[in-house]
Amino acid sequence: MLLTMEAKDEATRNAKEYVNEIYETVVKRNPHESEFHQAVLEILHSLVPILAKNPIYQKHSILERIVEPERIISFRVPWVDDQGKVQVNRGFRVQFNSAIGPYKGGLRFHPSVNASIIKFLGFEQIYKNALTGQPIGGGKGGSDFDPKGKSDMEIMRFTQSFMTELYRHIGPDIDVPAGDIGVGGREIGYLFGQYKRIRGGNEAGVLTGKGIGYGGSLARTEATGYGTVYFVQEMLQDKGIELEGSTVVVSGSGNVSIYAIEKVQQLGAQVVACSDSNGYIYDKNGINLDTVKRLKEVEGKRIKEYVEAHPHAEYVEGCTGIWSIPCDIALPCATQNEIDEEAAKQLVANGVKAVAEGANMPSTLEAVDVFLSNDVLFGPAKAANAGGVAVSALEMAQNSSRIAWSFEEVDAKLHDIMKNIYQQSVQAAEEYGYAGNLVIGANIAGFKKVADAMIVQGVI
Ligand code: GLU
């Protein structure tokens, strides 16, 4: 559906040609970067309707410019492990687009990290951040460092070495990193401490996701997961479907999943499964979130251990099987490409009503097409998971004004932002002739803000 949009007229045919040309250049210039290609392909195709209606974007070569990062930094991260051996990892920061504000986006520490992964994440971040309505540009970074099995001191030494290079490229008004997979409160603490040592001053707004005791925002920890569920509420309400009483499957068991589960449970629905990178648990009585939090947030254990505390639950090795569990709502909150075409078909066959992406690009392009063509309510990542970065921007605002808001205040703002993102996406989809298609709606709404800002700022 997304990839096979019909060329209704001359303008649409031209826009399609423009998009294909840009996509070919991206593939040629960035060989072997399949995740980056995938993210670009999805966005470019969904922009055809706005490009066809507004030739100004092509006239100003906006696509040529927007697919090229403003800056890519790649660096060596040497550190000493507990055995006294020198280890070397690779660090990245992609400063993709600063048209509407300082670069903003998380850091991912995971062995799969490479230029393609960071560029796909950075590219998505541009539009996501624009949708929040906050003044933040798009960036992303990370390392192929694997935090699994590392001691606390190894994490600290690695993180300090990472910041020893990164510090010169960031700043509260330049580029503001935060967490992502493998980077949570502990890592942000070490990163902040090292930045402060090097810079010699307390620039609180240089990082977000900080601890509450040193400039963090209340509700930042919960924001991505809660925000995803607020987005689901909007999608369901529009169709008169109740969240209360429904059955939900949430993949992952990291920060996004845990707080998505918490909010779903608060709203009276039942989460029956969650997972980690080894396998998933199915608990027909409903997941006990205290156990998941203990295992993952406190003890750093595998999700497999859940069945020890709850012997009636089942553990299944491998991750994709989680999508064969019948549910009303599916929230992929683990990682990219975790739902392929087959998994999407399985969800549809089991009667899924809504899917919202808590992770970044968890559905393949083919899976998205399966959802859209079967009238499943589908909340794409850059809309559904924007709550995290939105509250990061609120953290920056609190740091600048030296005032801390209450949990309720931040949560209420987050709720409003998620409603607003939903409305913007619905309206843009309607305006450009694809009513109900939130992929097209979110991409167009986010793109328009960034592209318009780029035009008025000259050739940047
Ligand atoms: N890593 C999160 C994301 O994918 C949050 C980024 C941030 O708070 O800057 O949006």
Side-chain angles (χ1 to χ4, degrees):
M1 193 168 172
L2 242 189
L3 304 180
T4 55
M5 276 191 299
E6 264 173 48
K8 292 175 196 147
D9 49 46
E10 177 76 16
T12 307
R13 264 193 299 279
N14 284 343
K16 280 193 122 184
E17 252 173 55
Y18 178 38
V19 153
N20 287 337
E21 198 185 294
I22 299 298
Y23 179 66
E24 274 169 29
T25 313
V26 167
V27 172
K28 220 196 276 167
R29 270 202 178 144
N30 306 273
H32 318 300
E33 295 188 352
S34 60
E35 294 85 2
F36 181 48
H37 301 167
Q38 182 183 339
V40 170
L41 187 63
E42 188 221 86
I43 294 194
L44 290 188
H45 274 279
S46 58
L47 296 180
V48 167
I50 187 173
L51 297 169
K53 254 197 184 174
N54 304 277
I56 188 167
Y57 297 121
Q58 187 168 359
K59 194 175 144 231
H60 286 265
S61 302
I62 289 295
L63 294 189
E64 286 84 337
R65 291 193 266 154
I66 217 165
V67 297
E68 193 62 31
E70 288 177 20
R71 196 170 299 102
I72 302 181
I73 302 137
S74 167
F75 52 97
R76 180 208 293 163
V77 190
W79 57 281
V80 181
D81 69 17
D82 286 348
Q83 283 67 50
K85 195 173 173 320
V86 174
Q87 302 282 345
V88 177
N89 285 96
R90 184 173 282 182
F92 296 97
R93 187 71 184 169
V94 176
Q95 299 181 330
F96 225 119
N97 195 300
S98 61
I100 63 173
Y103 308 105
K104 181 83 197 85
L107 297 171
R108 177 177 291 191
F109 292 170
H110 191 270
S112 66
V113 163
N114 55 31
S116 173
I117 299 275
I118 298 300
K119 278 156 77 178
F120 113 66
L121 290 164
F123 193 63
E124 289 274 303
Q125 201 83 44
I126 303 171
Y127 312 95
K128 181 197 309 198
N129 293 4
L131 280 170
T132 66
Q134 304 294 310
I136 42 179
K140 201 87 190 189
S143 174
D144 58 1
F145 173 76
D146 187 358
K148 222 188 269 172
K150 301 288 189 298
S151 72
D152 193 47
M153 284 301 106
E154 287 179 319
I155 300 271
M156 186 180 80
R157 286 194 296 273
F158 168 78
T159 305
Q160 290 181 336
S161 179
F162 185 87
M163 183 53 91
T164 301
E165 171 60 32
L166 187 68
Y167 89 93
R168 71 191 79 240
H169 308 288
I170 62 175
D173 294 309
I174 301 170
D175 183 353
V176 182
D180 196 85
I181 294 172
V183 179
R186 173 180 59 168
E187 291 73 19
I188 294 293
Y190 294 152
L191 286 165
F192 186 71
Q194 185 71 353
Y195 180 84
K196 189 157 52 63
R197 263 171 107 193
I198 300 173
R199 295 282 301 163
N202 194 316
E203 299 169 36
V206 70
L207 289 164
T208 60
K210 298 182 293 296
I212 303 306
Y214 66 96
S217 173
L218 287 164
R220 174 61 188 88
T221 306
E222 293 82 356
T224 315
Y226 278 21
T228 301
V229 180
Y230 293 150
F231 194 88
V232 170
Q233 274 186 303
E234 295 303 303
M235 296 200 296
L236 295 181
Q237 251 164 37
D238 241 5
K239 295 278 179 271
I241 305 171
E242 287 283 322
L243 177 64
E244 201 180 331
S246 59
T247 301
V248 185
V249 167
V250 180
S251 64
S253 49
N255 168 265
V256 182
S257 317
I258 285 177
Y259 294 96
I261 296 173
E262 185 165 285
K263 185 51 76 179
V264 164
Q265 291 181 341
Q266 281 173 10
L267 294 171
Q270 200 182 40
V271 180
V272 293
C274 70
S275 60
D276 64 17
S277 55
N278 292 107
Y280 68 90
I281 49 160
Y282 172 61
D283 188 338
K284 62 177 187 328
N285 298 346
I287 296 286
N288 183 309
L289 188 56
D290 288 338
T291 306
V292 177
K293 280 188 177 175
R294 172 173 60 77
L295 291 173
K296 291 292 172 179
E297 290 188 329
V298 186
E299 297 171 359
K301 292 207 173 128
R302 307 309 296 166
I303 202 69
K304 192 181 178 172
E305 313 266 337
Y306 180 94
V307 293
E308 269 173 34
H310 308 279
H312 63 274
E314 249 180 88
Y315 172 74
V316 182
E317 198 73 25
C319 301
T320 47
I322 196 170
W323 306 118
S324 64
I325 299 169
C327 61
D328 303 305
I329 297 164
L331 304 180
C333 296
T335 195
Q336 65 270 3
N337 293 330
E338 56 170 306
I339 301 186
D340 60 9
E341 185 173 9
E342 205 185 315
K345 283 183 176 159
Q346 179 104 60
L347 280 163
V348 169
N350 287 338
V352 73
K353 297 185 191 107
V355 177
E357 299 184 318
N360 288 313
M361 205 170 76
S363 315
T364 64
L365 289 171
E366 294 77 16
V368 174
D369 272 352
V370 169
F371 295 136
L372 294 178
S373 51
N374 284 283
D375 291 327
V376 173
L377 300 173
F378 181 71
K382 61 179 82 60
N385 76 29
V389 76
V391 173
S392 276
L394 300 181
E395 182 172 331
M396 290 161 70
Q398 292 170 79
N399 292 152
S400 296
S401 60
R402 298 181 190 272
I403 289 170
W405 299 331
S406 69
F407 186 97
E408 290 69 28
E409 234 174 316
V410 180
D411 189 38
K413 285 186 168 53
L414 166 66
H415 205 150
D416 276 353
I417 290 171
M418 297 315 295
K419 282 184 182 178
N420 194 272
I421 293 174
Y422 177 74
Q423 283 311 328
Q424 287 176 65
S425 307
V426 166
Q427 278 162 18
E430 250 167 45
E431 188 182 337
Y432 289 94
Y434 288 87
N437 185 326
L438 297 178
V439 177
I440 291 183
N443 286 341
I444 288 183
F447 169 80
K448 193 174 179 326
K449 288 188 196 182
V450 178
D452 290 347
M454 286 173 76
I455 289 174
V456 298
Q457 291 173 31
V459 179
I460 56 162

